[in-house]
Amino acid sequence: TMVANLSSHKKGWDDRWEEFSNWADKGELYKKELIRLVDADTKAFNQIMTAFGLPKSTEEEKATRTKAIQEATKFAIDIPFKVMQASYDSMEVIKAMAATGNPNSISDAGVGALCARSAVMGAFMNVRINAAGYDDKDFVADILNRGREIENKTIALEAEILKIVDGKISRSKRIEVFERDGYRCQICGRGIKDGVELEVDHIVPRARGGSSDFDNLTTLCFDCNRGKSAKILSRFIESKSLIESGDVF
């Protein structure tokens, strides 16, 4: 919802205001439903505690108590299952914002996917532990199967969203590296105006423990990057200069 609101007010995106406002409204509905379910979950817990606290001195009291426990247990299964459904459904909005929303807020969409997946998996744990105490085994088998299906779909959708997020973050970082390096290869000095293809690569290769931090990235043209291979950039520049000067022979 936050990403949708930020996107609807992004400069130059005035014609997309209604599109993002609609996504924001949908996200707000999911938020309200999940907040409602938080209160319902508290109620479910209280019902369980109340049922277990009923008297059990006579057979009639025992029967009444057992019935109350079973009813409260079913309610305590239904509520987290609804949390699973709402959390998974909310990922429709999260994926749309990752794909089309304000690129400056892309990480927020990624965090949203992580939170939704955690909500689904956490709620399923509650479903499973409460289902263990419910006597209707057909109901239990059905809801556990549906829960596993939601969990699996959630994990798959989270992976799709994070792939979108990681791709956009990587592209953003590439542009920052290009701008810092003046859109020129840091070995031969050629740039886009010279008709060369520019790439971003690691100065210290990852195979040698190099990170993907900004300071360990550099702009290289296609030819120099292929010649660089797995060498550390500073050493490659030195060897390339020796070859071109003839001092290597």
Side-chain angles (χ1 to χ4, degrees):
T1 301
M2 182 189 74
V3 177
N5 284 325
L6 289 172
S7 300
S8 67
H9 294 93
K10 180 174 169 58
K11 185 177 181 180
W13 284 16
D14 296 341
D15 58 332
R16 303 182 67 187
W17 179 87
E18 185 175 0
E19 170 194 351
F20 289 117
S21 292
N22 290 337
W23 281 117
D25 289 341
K26 182 172 284 192
E28 191 66 24
L29 290 175
Y30 287 127
K31 185 180 79 170
K32 288 181 179 179
E33 172 65 5
L34 288 166
I35 291 174
R36 183 189 72 79
L37 289 170
V38 169
D39 293 333
D41 191 64
T42 301
K43 181 181 178 181
F45 175 78
N46 290 336
Q47 286 185 2
I48 288 281
M49 297 303 293
T50 298
F52 273 98
L54 291 174
K56 50 182 178 179
S57 299
T58 67
E59 291 302 318
E60 183 179 356
E61 287 178 346
K62 289 178 181 178
T64 299
R65 179 176 180 272
T66 297
K67 182 181 178 182
I69 289 172
Q70 288 298 296
E71 290 175 350
T73 299
K74 186 175 185 298
F75 187 60
I77 295 170
D78 287 337
I79 296 304
F81 186 77
K82 289 179 180 179
V83 171
M84 292 182 70
Q85 291 177 311
S87 299
Y88 171 71
D89 291 343
S90 74
M91 296 177 81
E92 172 196 13
V93 178
I94 297 169
K95 183 178 181 180
M97 293 304 94
T100 67
N102 189 330
N104 294 322
S105 302
I106 188 67
S107 61
D108 295 302
V111 171
L114 295 174
C115 290
R117 188 260 296 159
S118 295
V120 168
M121 297 182 74
F124 193 33
M125 290 179 188
N126 288 335
V127 170
R128 286 156 48 206
I129 196 168
N130 293 330
Y134 193 57
D135 291 342
D136 187 342
K137 299 310 175 186
D138 289 335
F139 172 83
V140 168
D142 176 66
I143 204 160
L144 291 182
N145 285 334
R146 288 191 288 150
R148 289 189 191 95
E149 182 181 357
I150 293 174
E151 185 179 55
N152 290 335
K153 290 194 297 184
T154 297
I155 291 171
L157 186 51
E158 178 203 34
E160 290 180 32
I161 295 171
L162 293 183
K163 184 176 180 180
I164 294 171
V165 171
D166 289 341
K168 290 195 173 186
I169 289 175
S170 296
R171 285 195 293 274
S172 176
K173 185 178 286 188
R174 285 177 69 244
I175 292 173
E176 289 181 10
V177 174
F178 286 156
E179 289 179 346
R180 180 200 65 194
D181 295 341
Y183 286 89
R184 289 190 172 277
C185 174
Q186 297 304 289
I187 292 178
C188 69
R190 293 181 299 167
I192 295 176
K193 293 181 180 180
D194 301 304
V196 299
E197 179 183 349
L198 295 179
E199 301 175 342
V200 171
D201 203 355
H202 298 78
I203 297 173
V204 178
R206 282 179 292 182
R208 297 191 179 185
S211 71
S212 294
D213 293 341
F214 187 67
D215 291 339
N216 193 47
L217 299 176
T218 191
T219 303
L220 300 174
C221 69
F222 180 89
D223 293 336
C224 288
N225 198 21
R226 295 306 175 278
K228 168 179 166 284
S229 185
K231 295 179 181 179
I232 296 177
L233 181 62
S234 60
R235 294 180 183 174
F236 180 72
I237 294 174
E238 180 181 355
S239 63
K240 189 172 187 294
S241 299
L242 288 173
I243 292 171
E244 290 176 347
S245 67
D247 292 340
V248 76
F249 300 108

